[in-house]
Amino acid sequence: MKIFSKTLCLLALSYAAASCCQTSQTNVPVYLDEEQPLEIRVEDALSRMTLEEKVKILHAQSKFSSAGVPRLGIPELWATDGPHGIRAEVFWDEWEQAGWTNDSIVAFPALTALAATWNEDMSALYGKSIGEEARFREKDVLLGPGVNIYRTPLNGRNFEYMGEDPYLASKMVVPYVQEVQKNGVAVCVKHYALNNQETNRHFYDVVVDDRALYEIYLPAFKAAVREGGAWSIMGAYNYYKGQHACHNEYLLNDILKGEWGFDGVVISDWGGAHDTDEAITNGLDLEFGTWTDGLTMGATNGYDAYYLADPYLKRLREGSATEEVLNEKVRRVLRLIFRTAMNTDKPFGSLCSPEHYDAARTIAAEGIVLLKNENDVLPVDLSSVKKIAVIGENAVKIMTVGGGSSSLKAQHECTPVEGLLAAVGDKAEIVYERGYVGDVTDIFDGVATGQDLSESRSEDQLIADAVKLAESADVVLFFGGLNKAACQDCEGSDRFGLELPYAQDKLIKAISKVNDNLAVIIISGNAVAMPWVNDVNAIVEAWYSGSQAGHAIADVIFGKVNPSGKLPFTFPVKLTDNGAHALDAYDREDLSVEYKEGLYVGYRWADKFDVEPLFAFGHGLSYTDFTYGEAKCAKASVKAGADVKVAIDVTNSGKMAGKEVVQLYIRDEESYLERPVKELKGFRKIYLEPGETKTVEFVIEPDMLKFFDDAKHEWVLEKGKFTAYIGASSKDIRSEVSFEVR
Ligand code: GLC
C-alpha cells in the first residue's frame, strides 16, 4: 500500500507541476519549490487545498500513517515507535507486526542508560544512529524520545525516560532531537505532560502547582522545543486541570505554542483524543489511534469517525468551527510534511550498520553504573580466575521484546551470557545456573524472542543448584533485576513495590553466604530495594542495554571499559523514602493525583528531609579514583545579570584511565519563595589518564539561578548569596564556594 501511494503522489506531483497556475521562476508551483522559504510554500499549498483535504490531513488513515494531499502531490506521513529503535512494520490497521523480513533493526540502549552516560556526545551519537535507521525505514516521525520526570520508582515506563532531574533531562534530550532531525525525520517528544505513572494512565487528573510544573516537569520538553527544535510533540493520555493533555488549553495553547513559540505539530497519543470541540480549540493538530466503537477493527471508514474527521467537517460546514483555526492546524501539518516526507535533501539513512552496532555498544558501556565495588571484585582479572559462575534469568533473557510500544524486532541481541562467553573465550570456564524463574513470555505483538525459558525445577531446587555452583566458582556474576513483563518495566502498568521480584533477594543472600567474590548486576529501568546491599561486595546497574548489552556488560566486567555511568535517579532504601510515597501521593485508586511533594522530587526530597539514599542521584564509581581540588570563584560578587565562573581541578589519582562526571549544584541561600536545598545546574564529563589533572570550569548564567514565581507567572533572579557545590554525586560533595549576586 505504501509504495503504491508514494507512486501516486509522484505522478500527481508531476501533473501538479505541469498544470498548476502559480509558478515560480523555475516553472514549479511555489509549494513544490524547495528554494522558496518554508512559510511561503506552506501558504501556497494551503491556498490550493479544499476544506475536505484540509480536514483529512489532521488525522490518521492507518495505525501509523496520516493522509497527504494526492491531488497536489503532497505525500502522507509515516510515524513509528519508538525511543530505542524502529518498531517492526505492522498491518495497516493493527498493532500486530506484519511479518516483513526487512524491518529488523538495531536496538539501542533504553533512555535511562543514555541519561546515565551524563554525556551529551552520547546523546548526539544516539540521535544520529536511530535517526539513520528511521530514515532508512522511510519513516517521517519517530515517536520518541520520552522525557517524563521520574517521580515514582513504580512507574512502568521510567525505562523509556531520562531520570528525576529536569536539568539532566534538558541537557541530554537536545542532541538526540537535533541529530535525529538532521535525517529529515521528526522527533515526537513525549508524553507532554505529567504522564509520570501508568496506573489509570488514560484517566487520572494531575493536581500540581505551577512551580513544580515549570521547575520540574516542563523543562525537558521546553529544551527539546527551544534548543532542540523539535518538529512534533506527543500529548499525554492523562488529564491536567480537567482537560486531557492531548487537547489542553493551558499546556498546548498557552505554554507550548504561546510561551515557547512551538511551530510544530501536536500529535495525540494513540487514543489520547476524546472530544471534537476540545480537540479543535485546545491545540491538537494530528489525531492518531482513536477508538471508534470498533469501526477501526479492519473497517476502512473507521478513520472518518475520528474526532478531527467527519465531526470536524460537519462543524466547519455548519459554521460552528472557523476555518481560521483549521488553517492554523493545517499549516503545522504541512510544515511537518515539508520538513520530512517532502524534504528531498534528506540523507538515505542506514540500517543495522556496523556503525550502529558500535554506537549501541559504546553508549551502553558508557551508561553502565558501578554502584559498589569492594575487595576489588571488579574488574574480573581473567588471568587469575578459572571458573566463572553466571547465575540468574536476566543473564540469558531477551530484553528488547516486550515492555509495550518500545518493543523491538532486533536483528540481534547479545545477552549478558553471550557477551561474557565472547569475551572469555577459552581463558576460563563459564557455568550457568538459572537461579530463579521470572517471566517466560516469548512474544509481543507477533515478534517472538525464539527463547524457551520454561523451567521444571522448584524455587528451592533452583536456589540449591545455584548455591552449589557458586561454592565451586572463583567468581560469581549474578544477573537479576526486572524485565519487560506487565507490572515490571512495562507500559500500561506500574510495579507494586520496590522489591526485586521472583525471590531474588533470598537467592542473592544464599549465594553471598558461600562466595564473597560476588558481583550483582541489575538489569532494570527502575530503582530496586537491596536488603542484601551489605552482604555483596560489587553491584552494577546495567539497564536495558539493547542489541549490544552482553558485549557492553562484558567490556565493563573485564575492565576493557572503565565504568563512568552516574545514576539519573535516586535509589531509595525503601519506597517511603520517596516524596510521592512518603506523602501517600501516589494512589492507585484515586483518579485525582495530587503531586503533594511539589518541587521535592528525587534528591530534592532526600536533601530536604535528610533521607539517606541507598545510592544517590549522580552516584557512580570508577575502577580508578578521582581527587578534587578546591572550588574557586572568579569573582565573589557579581552584578545581577552577569555570569559567575567557578573552576576546580580534578585529578585521576588511580592507576587506570577513566572518565568522571563533575557535577555542579547550586543553593540559593536566601529566597522569598522556598527552594530545594540544592539543584543540579551543570555537569562535565572529563577523561583523565592516570596522574592527569584537568581544570573544570563552569559558567553559571543568570537563568540558572532563577526560580519560577507562580504568583507572578515569571522566572525571577533574586539578589543575595548563593553556594556552588561541586561533587561526584548529589551526596558526595567535594568542594563548595559561595558567591553573591548584587
Ligand atoms: C502508546 C504509547 C506511545 C506510543 C503510541 C504508539 O500507547 O503511549 O508512547 O508511541 O501509543 O504506539
Side-chain angles (χ1 to χ4, degrees):
M1 176 66 92
K2 192 153 68 71
I3 297 164
F4 172 68
S5 60
K6 288 261 184 201
T7 312
L8 186 72
C9 281
L10 289 173
L11 282 176
L13 203 65
S14 50
Y15 169 72
S19 64
C20 264
C21 42
Q22 192 181 357
T23 59
S24 55
Q25 291 77 351
T26 56
N27 202 24
V28 169
V30 164
Y31 74 98
L32 293 177
D33 181 354
E34 295 202 76
E35 301 303 311
Q36 297 289 331
L38 179 61
E39 296 314 312
I40 301 291
R41 297 176 62 201
V42 166
E43 288 312 313
D44 182 46
L46 183 70
S47 68
R48 300 165 188 263
M49 292 168 69
T50 66
L51 197 71
E52 291 73 14
E53 288 168 337
K54 289 179 182 178
V55 169
K56 202 153 179 55
I57 70 170
L58 302 184
H59 58 83
Q61 65 172 11
S62 76
K63 188 58 81 181
F64 282 102
S65 74
S66 58
V69 189
R71 179 180 62 82
L72 296 176
I74 293 175
E76 54 208 11
L77 277 175
W78 281 86
T80 182
D81 286 313
H84 308 148
I86 310 312
R87 183 172 186 163
E89 199 69 24
V90 298
F91 285 116
W92 184 258
D93 191 33
E94 307 295 338
W95 292 109
E96 196 73 7
Q97 73 135 341
W100 284 19
T101 56
N102 63 353
D103 59 349
S104 298
I105 45 77
V106 170
F108 296 98
L111 292 193
T112 37
L114 173 59
T117 67
W118 290 56
N119 183 340
E120 290 157 273
D121 295 341
M122 290 294 112
S123 177
L125 175 62
Y126 198 118
K128 176 178 184 300
S129 307
I130 196 172
E132 288 167 349
E133 299 244 331
R135 174 70 196 103
F136 192 88
R137 291 271 298 106
E138 293 191 294
K139 304 300 180 182
D140 305 305
V141 182
L142 176 66
L143 302 175
V147 288
N148 291 100
I149 288 294
Y150 188 108
R151 171 180 184 253
T152 161
L154 305 185
N155 178 16
R157 291 187 86 172
N158 278 330
F159 72 99
E160 291 185 54
Y161 304 147
M162 295 191 181
E164 73 186 27
D165 181 85
Y167 182 87
L168 177 64
S170 299
K171 288 295 171 192
M172 292 303 290
V173 71
V174 170
Y176 181 119
V177 170
Q178 291 169 334
E179 289 301 319
V180 165
Q181 296 191 157
K182 283 179 185 170
N183 290 282
V185 175
V187 297
C188 187
V189 189
K190 66 190 189 181
H191 303 83
Y192 182 76
L194 298 167
N195 184 182
N196 305 100
Q197 67 183 57
E198 290 298 288
T199 301
N200 301 322
R201 66 174 173 159
H202 296 274
F203 312 106
Y204 72 85
D205 185 359
V206 176
V207 177
V208 66
D209 63 30
D210 267 6
R211 284 207 69 199
L213 179 70
Y214 274 76
E215 294 193 25
I216 303 293
Y217 296 102
L218 292 183
F221 289 101
K222 181 175 180 181
V225 167
R226 297 287 289 269
E227 293 157 58
W231 291 337
S232 80
I233 281 258
M234 185 186 291
Y237 281 132
N238 50 280
Y239 284 88
Y240 178 51
K241 294 180 183 282
Q243 290 176 350
H244 273 104
C246 285
H247 29 79
N248 190 291
E249 177 74 20
Y250 192 55
L251 289 175
L252 300 177
N253 287 350
D254 298 352
I255 299 174
L256 178 67
K257 296 178 179 180
E259 293 175 15
W260 299 350
F262 176 63
D263 75 349
V265 173
V266 173
I267 296 177
S268 75
D269 197 339
W270 266 239
H274 297 272
D275 179 281
T276 291
D277 294 315
E278 281 198 12
I280 293 169
T281 57
N282 293 354
L284 180 61
D285 302 309
L286 188 45
E287 179 187 354
F288 273 98
T290 298
W291 287 284
T292 51
D293 52 48
L295 282 176
T296 51
M297 300 307 172
T300 51
N301 69 342
Y303 296 97
D304 294 339
Y306 272 37
Y307 295 101
L308 289 182
D310 287 353
Y312 191 14
L313 202 50
K314 182 166 172 292
R315 283 167 175 69
L316 287 161
R317 286 180 175 146
E318 66 192 22
S320 62
T322 68
E323 196 153 355
E324 183 203 352
V325 169
L326 169 71
N327 287 346
E328 179 48 26
K329 296 179 194 292
V330 175
R331 285 190 183 93
R332 291 173 181 272
V333 176
L334 286 172
R335 208 170 283 143
L336 179 59
I337 294 174
F338 287 145
R339 284 169 165 162
T340 59
M342 275 178 86
N343 169 358
T344 58
D345 194 23
K346 292 180 290 193
F348 289 102
S350 52
L351 196 67
C352 299
S353 63
E355 292 79 6
H356 292 172
Y357 277 103
D358 289 346
R361 181 168 183 164
T362 303
I363 297 163
E366 179 125 353
I368 288 172
V369 183
L370 181 58
L371 295 173
K372 181 181 178 184
N373 189 29
E374 284 163 14
N375 299 351
D376 289 333
V377 169
L378 295 176
V380 171
D381 174 359
L382 279 175
S383 63
S384 67
V385 296
K386 288 287 162 275
K387 185 172 179 181
I388 301 172
V390 175
I391 297 171
E393 181 177 283
N394 279 3
V396 300
K397 184 173 174 58
I398 294 271
M399 291 290 192
T400 54
V401 173
S405 57
S406 62
S407 178
L408 296 169
K409 176 161 85 172
Q411 180 190 53
H412 180 63
E413 178 179 348
C414 176
T415 60
V417 76
E418 287 167 339
L420 295 171
L421 285 166
V424 167
D426 56 5
K427 298 189 198 83
E429 182 192 15
I430 288 182
V431 183
Y432 175 70
E433 265 298 337
R434 179 75 172 267
Y436 70 91
V437 176
D439 167 53
V440 298
T441 315
D442 65 348
I443 195 161
F444 181 87
D445 275 353
V447 175
T449 62
Q451 292 186 311
D452 173 5
L453 292 177
S454 58
E455 172 63 59
S456 57
R457 289 174 286 175
S458 69
E459 179 182 297
D460 289 344
Q461 187 58 54
L462 282 162
I463 292 177
D465 293 348
V467 167
K468 187 160 175 289
L469 168 63
E471 275 175 321
S472 69
D474 300 314
V475 63
V476 182
L477 303 176
F478 173 82
F479 288 86
L482 306 175
N483 54 47
K484 301 290 190 72
C487 302
Q488 296 288 327
D489 284 320
C490 180
E491 176 180 336
S493 61
D494 289 340
R495 285 195 294 157
F496 287 99
L498 196 60
E499 298 71 27
L500 283 175
Y502 319 126
Q504 291 177 72
D505 291 338
K506 187 173 156 193
L507 170 60
I508 293 167
K509 279 207 173 70
I511 296 169
S512 69
K513 286 195 174 63
V514 299
N515 194 325
D516 60 10
N517 218 12
L518 162 64
V520 170
I521 296 98
I522 298 291
I523 308 282
S524 77
N526 255 314
V528 294
M530 300 182 188
W532 33 265
V533 67
N534 297 320
D535 309 322
V536 173
N537 280 318
I539 306 171
V540 175
E541 171 63 59
W543 312 115
Y544 296 113
S545 286
S547 286
Q548 294 284 63
H551 293 310
I553 289 167
D555 288 346
V556 168
I557 295 286
F558 297 116
K560 191 174 166 200
V561 169
N562 186 353
S564 64
K566 300 275 184 177
L567 289 178
F569 51 75
T570 306
F571 273 55
V573 172
K574 57 186 186 305
L575 198 52
T576 48
D577 286 352
N578 164 285
H581 297 275
L583 300 176
D584 192 19
Y586 167 85
D587 187 317
R588 291 187 175 281
E589 306 313 323
D590 190 345
L591 289 185
S592 167
V593 182
E594 183 180 357
Y595 287 14
K596 294 175 187 162
E597 75 283 2
L599 300 169
Y600 302 102
V601 174
Y603 69 90
R604 289 170 167 84
W605 177 271
D607 284 349
K608 181 178 172 71
F609 296 101
D610 215 11
V611 175
E612 192 61 29
L614 177 64
F615 294 109
F617 171 80
H619 170 75
L621 301 176
S622 168
Y623 292 147
T624 189
D625 298 304
F626 297 102
T627 50
Y628 287 58
E630 281 306 304
K632 291 187 180 57
C633 219
K635 283 185 192 163
S637 167
V638 296
K639 272 198 335 210
D643 290 344
V644 177
K645 289 189 175 59
V646 175
I648 191 166
D649 283 356
V650 179
T651 304
N652 178 344
S653 45
K655 297 186 287 295
M656 193 174 174
K659 293 180 185 176
E660 169 68 321
V661 180
V662 182
Q663 300 160 42
L664 167 73
Y665 295 84
I666 298 283
R667 173 177 194 151
D668 184 349
E669 298 293 349
E670 48 204 275
S671 66
Y672 64 82
L673 288 182
E674 192 185 320
R675 299 191 73 178
V677 169
K678 63 181 187 293
E679 300 178 279
L680 181 73
K681 294 295 179 186
F683 58 90
R684 290 278 184 292
K685 189 158 207 177
I686 55 172
Y687 173 85
L688 292 171
E689 292 290 346
E692 186 183 6
T693 296
K694 273 182 185 162
T695 302
V696 177
E697 291 186 349
F698 292 99
V699 176
I700 302 169
E701 295 158 1
D703 281 356
M704 293 154 64
L705 302 176
K706 291 180 177 174
F707 59 90
F708 188 75
D709 180 330
D710 48 349
K712 296 177 183 169
H713 200 78
E714 66 181 29
W715 291 92
V716 170
L717 168 57
E718 193 186 17
K719 294 171 186 161
K721 281 186 70 179
F722 292 83
T723 302
Y725 298 102
I726 293 183
S729 86
S730 60
K731 287 302 274 185
D732 182 5
I733 298 302
R734 305 291 182 88
S735 183
E736 61 182 77
V737 63
S738 296
F739 60 89
E740 186 182 10
V741 173
R742 295 192 302 279

